Amino acid sequence: MGPILDCDANATYAPDQQIQGVILSCLEALGNPSSMHRAGQRSRAAIEEARATVRKVVGAGEHDTVVFTSGATEANNMVVQALAKQGGSLLASQIEHPCVLGPLAQCERKGGKVVLVAPDRDGVVSVDVVRAAITSDTSLVSIMLANNEVGTINPITEIVAAVKAVAPQAIIHADAAQALGKIPCSMADLGVDALTVSAHKVGGLSGVGALILRRGIELPALILGGPQEGKLRGGTENVLGIRVFGEVLSLLVREGDARRERMARVRDLFESSILGELSEVYIHGFDRARLPNTSSVYIAGVRADDLVVAMDLEGILISSGAACSSGKPEPSHVLLAMGYDEDHVRATIRVSFRADSDESDVKRLVASLVKAVSRMRAVSQAA
Ligand code: PLP
C-alpha cells in the first residue's frame, strides 16, 4: 500500500513525528499528580502548565476554571446534565453532536423542557432562530462553534448578545471540539460562559478534553470520586494525555495563522478540482464561513459508504455523512436537519484535511475519487 493519505483529520489520527517525540519524553515522567513525591509533583506541575496553555489558547482569564475531562463528550455531558438538573428550559440546535443531543433527550424523557432549533440549508444556526426560541426561563443555550460534518461556523457572538437580552441568567455554552486549532476560539471574544475542547481533534491523543468555565460559573461534578480537578472531576488525571494536549496547543500557538492558511489552501484546491472534474457535485455551505479543512460533498449517483471503502483501499481515509452505530449506518442527522432527503445524505462524503496535508495529497485524492465515481456511475447507468 502507498503512503497513508489521512484526509479525515476530524477523527483521531496518528500523531506526527514532532508529537511522537513529545509523547516519548512525557512517558519518562508519569507520577501520580496527587502524590507528594517528586515524580508526582513533576506531573502536577506539567498538568498545571497544560492548564495554563489551554487558558491561553481559548482566551480564558486567569481565574476561569479549566476542568480536564476524558474528552469533549464528557465535557458536554457535564454542562448539559448539570443544567438539566437545575431546571428551566434548555436550548440547543438540531445539529449538535450526539453527546449534547443525548443528555438533552434524556432530560426531556424525564420531563424537562428542551428546545432544539433548526439550522438553515447551509448548516448554519442563525441568530434569528435562536432569538425566536429564547424565553425568560431559558437556563442553558448550547450551540456548537463549528459543525463537525459540514464545517460551517455559527455566529456565536451575535447569539450571545441575543440570549443576554432576553435571558441574562442563561449559561451560554459552545462546543468548540471541531473549531479549536482551525479558527480563533477566544471565550473573551465569543462571550460564552463555557467552552468544550477535545485533544484528539487537534493532533493530541484521544481520551482527553476540557471544559472551560468562566469565573463564577459553578457546576457539580459529573464523575464523582476523589478531589481531583478542584473536586470537579474525580479520578487520577490522564497525565500523558493532558501533557501531550498542552504541547500540541503550544505548537498551535507557535504556528499561528500559517496553519489555518495552509489548511484553507489545500481545502480550496480540493474543492475547485473536484468541482472542475466531476459533474453534479455540490459542496454544502460553500459560500458561508467554514472551517478551513472541512468539505461536505454531495456527489450524485454514488453511495458515500461505497466511496469510503473504495478510498480506503487506496490508503485514503475519508468519511461518509453517516455516523455508524453498532454496525448500522444511520443517515446524518445534520444533513437531514439541513433539509436534505435520505438519498442526498447517503451520497454525501466528508473530507477533512490534516494540518500537514499538501497539494500532492489533494491530487491523489481527487484522481482516486474521480476514478471511483466514474466507475460507480457507469455501473448504475448500465443496471
Ligand atoms: N463535539 C464535536 C463537535 C465533535 O466533533 C466530537 C467528536 O467527534 C465530540 C464532541 C466528541 O469528542 P470526544 O471524542 O473528545 O469525546
Side-chain angles (χ1 to χ4, degrees), residues 11 14 18 28 39 59 70 97 187 190 200 216 223 228 238 268 274:
Q18 201 171 8
E28 285 165 17
S70 64
H97 191 272
M187 281 179 80
L190 294 169
H200 71 109
I223 308 285
Q228 291 90 351
N238 177 351
D268 290 349
I274 202 83

Side-chain angles (χ1 to χ4, degrees), residues 64-76:
D64 294 341
T65 306
V66 175
V67 188
F68 284 116
T69 63
S70 64
T73 297
E74 185 187 320
N76 286 343

Side-chain angles (χ1 to χ4, degrees), residues 131-156:
R131 190 182 287 117
I134 313 165
T135 55
S136 55
D137 78 333
T138 301
S139 58
L140 172 72
V141 175
S142 183
I143 306 286
M144 61 196 346
L145 181 47
N147 181 261
N148 44 312
E149 290 185 27
V150 181
T152 34
I153 299 167
N154 291 317
I156 299 294

Side-chain angles (χ1 to χ4, degrees), residues 93-96 117-126 129 143-155 159 282-291 296 332-340:
S93 82
Q94 293 172 357
I95 59 169
E96 297 304 309
V117 295
D120 65 20
R121 190 87 174 159
D122 289 329
V124 177
V125 180
S126 78
V129 298
I143 306 286
M144 61 196 346
L145 181 47
N147 181 261
N148 44 312
E149 290 185 27
V150 181
T152 34
I153 299 167
N154 291 317
I159 288 174
Y282 181 78
I283 295 168
H284 300 112
F286 185 74
D287 292 324
R288 308 295 288 272
R290 276 186 299 150
L291 296 177
S296 169
S332 152
H333 73 285
V334 174
L335 293 166
L336 290 176
M338 285 160 60
Y340 292 102

Side-chain angles (χ1 to χ4, degrees), residues 9-80:
N10 284 358
T12 306
Y13 56 87
D16 62 26
Q17 276 193 345
Q18 201 171 8
I19 298 303
Q20 285 178 24
V22 170
I23 293 170
L24 287 178
S25 71
C26 290
L27 282 173
E28 285 165 17
L30 283 181
N32 184 333
S34 297
S35 300
M36 283 175 65
H37 53 59
R38 81 184 73 159
Q41 291 314 298
R42 240 187 353 235
S43 290
R44 164 66 45 221
I47 288 177
E48 294 317 315
E49 202 180 313
R51 204 184 308 278
T53 307
V54 170
R55 271 203 192 93
K56 185 169 157 194
V57 172
V58 304
E62 200 189 334
H63 300 291
D64 294 341
T65 306
V66 175
V67 188
F68 284 116
T69 63
S70 64
T73 297
E74 185 187 320
N76 286 343
N77 265 268
M78 190 172 160
V79 174
V80 177

